[in-house]
Amino acid sequence: MACRYSVDFQAAYVVSSLLLLLLLGTSHSSDENFYSVRVTSLFPSSSCTTPSSAFGLDRVDEGRTLLEIVHRHGPCHRPATAEEKAPTHEQILVQDELRVNSIRARISGKKPGRPSSLKEAKAVLPAKSGSTVGTGNYVVTVGLGTPKKDLTLIFDTGSDLTWTQCRPCLKYCYKQQEPTFDPSLSASYVNISCNSAVCSQLTSATGRTPGCFASTCVYGIQYGDSSFSAGFFGREKLTLTYTDSFDNFLFGCGQNNRGLYGGAAGLLGLGRDKLSIVEQTASKYGKYFSYCLPSSSSSTGHLAFGKGSSSAAQFTPLTTISQGASFYGISITGISVAGKKLSIPVSIFSNAEGIIDSGTVITRLPLTAYTALRSAFRQAMSKYPMAPALSILDTCYDFTKYSTVTVPKLGFYFLGGTYVDVDFTGILYGASASQVCLAFAGNSDDSDVLIYGNVAQKTFEVIYDVAGERLGFGANCRS
Ligand SMILES: *[C@@H]1O[C@H](CO)[C@@H](O)[C@H](O)[C@H]1NC(C)=O
């Protein structure tokens, strides 16, 4: 009996150990610290996956005003002309580096060179640093004038002045998707005069002193990739939805516009300066806006103004950047990969200014932080064959032999204790299955500005509570 009992006991012990091993084994392969990702889901589909009835959607939802966001180079955005080709990933990343260089120059106070193409612009004035466009951007459609004309604008939290190309295009207008705005056909357009107080606000909003032409205030704004717009500063009726419109919206009526705007009619400035749409609509929306960037260029997201009955979010303080008044400052305090917080000294983060930017594609981290992130990521991905670097992205994989891959979760700690897990669509940047890269890059200098870019922001409701001086990450809004 005793012997029998002992055998049973041993058998039971062996079985339970096996169970334990099995359980451990299971939890290792579909670990909560990893995403299991179908390789095809890393790339946009060739057609827009949002029902066409959703186009032109502008509505009031839970007390907020919603505008639809689409990626400028995806199938949900109608291209301006057939010959306008979407840029390659290399081109996007090169443009992104130009934008980042210009942000660095603005924040460090170093002045970037003045592009020769601007010399012919009318509004030209001593070149100070400009803001930045880049190519990896998102667009929204707003209404301008009386009667209202729809215009698709690039939305940019890194600059303030809203502008659109305007007839008669005294110097130059590039090809755009919609008819070019004609102020002479609008009953509500008014020129701003040179001696008006708002004319002088252009200095901080554009980084250059305004000019004067036949007593009309003239603006000029130059972006990091040497794109620019110059023209008359005007007031006009801006219509966001059927119910929400703003008389006397100050904007640039562009008479000389050059650059990589990809068929968009201009730019919507969502920065922190006085002339931004956030400030100009403050009485209605209380300087509160949020957006959800689509998970891929073949789906759509939204830009929302006003607080509404917004659901739970985690917040971190929003700070101002001394040199770059347009930017939204944030502080990152740590990074986690596969559930483990990396040992990066907090001083590495506190020694660099940090901003969140809707127009920068790839998040730029202090080199020391990026190096730690890269080595932890590479370790977690060691079973996959590596692929050549893609421009500034140096950690790429060849997934051609896989239909599903296991990718470590990756998240950021923000000042105040907020932790955000990046969506899997924000961890990898894919050119093709043979070259899928970690979507983060290191600054060459630890003291360069940290930029939390738009790939890492995908599928989160990113909330700018400017009056409350806090930035929030809300629910996953994947579409
Ligand atoms: C605005 O000013 C420009 C430059 O003086 C002028 O050509 C244009 O006709 C003016 N537009 C209106 C609507 O006053």
Side-chain angles (χ1 to χ4, degrees), residues 320-477:
T320 45
I321 304 289
S322 51
Q323 292 287 329
S326 326
F327 296 118
Y328 292 98
I330 52 160
S331 302
I332 284 175
T333 57
I335 304 177
S336 147
V337 173
K340 278 201 215 78
K341 190 167 179 183
L342 305 177
S343 63
I344 302 167
V346 180
S347 62
I348 290 297
F349 294 108
S350 56
N351 287 343
E353 304 248 39
I355 64 164
I356 183 165
D357 183 32
S358 69
T360 298
V361 181
I362 300 296
T363 295
R364 304 302 205 283
L365 298 167
L367 187 59
T368 304
Y370 175 67
T371 307
L373 165 63
R374 176 177 63 188
S375 91
F377 188 82
R378 284 188 179 183
Q379 200 177 359
M381 294 287 286
S382 55
K383 68 172 161 176
Y384 299 109
M386 291 196 72
L390 175 65
S391 181
I392 55 168
L393 306 179
D394 66 4
T395 296
C396 304
Y397 295 90
D398 180 353
F399 290 155
T400 44
K401 294 206 172 67
Y402 300 85
S403 55
T404 303
V405 291
T406 309
V407 178
K409 288 194 177 173
L410 193 162
F412 289 89
Y413 293 88
F414 293 87
L415 189 64
T418 287
Y419 174 78
V420 176
D421 255 329
V422 176
D423 187 76
F424 79 83
T425 56
I427 296 176
L428 293 168
Y429 188 89
S432 68
S434 63
Q435 196 183 26
V436 178
C437 309
L438 174 62
F440 295 85
N443 284 329
S444 54
D445 187 332
D446 269 352
S447 68
D448 275 345
V449 60
L450 179 158
I451 306 173
Y452 197 78
N454 64 32
V455 172
Q457 296 174 42
K458 283 200 229 174
T459 79
F460 283 99
E461 188 77 36
V462 183
I463 301 163
Y464 294 73
D465 179 1
V466 183
E469 296 183 348
R470 55 187 197 153
L471 177 92
F473 291 92
N476 192 305
C477 51

Side-chain angles (χ1 to χ4, degrees), residues 168 170 183-184 186 189-192 213-218 232-233 255:
L170 286 177
S184 72
S186 169
Y189 179 85
V190 178
N191 275 334
I192 300 294
F213 179 83
S215 77
T216 298
C217 180
V218 173
F232 303 121
F233 193 38
Q255 301 295 333

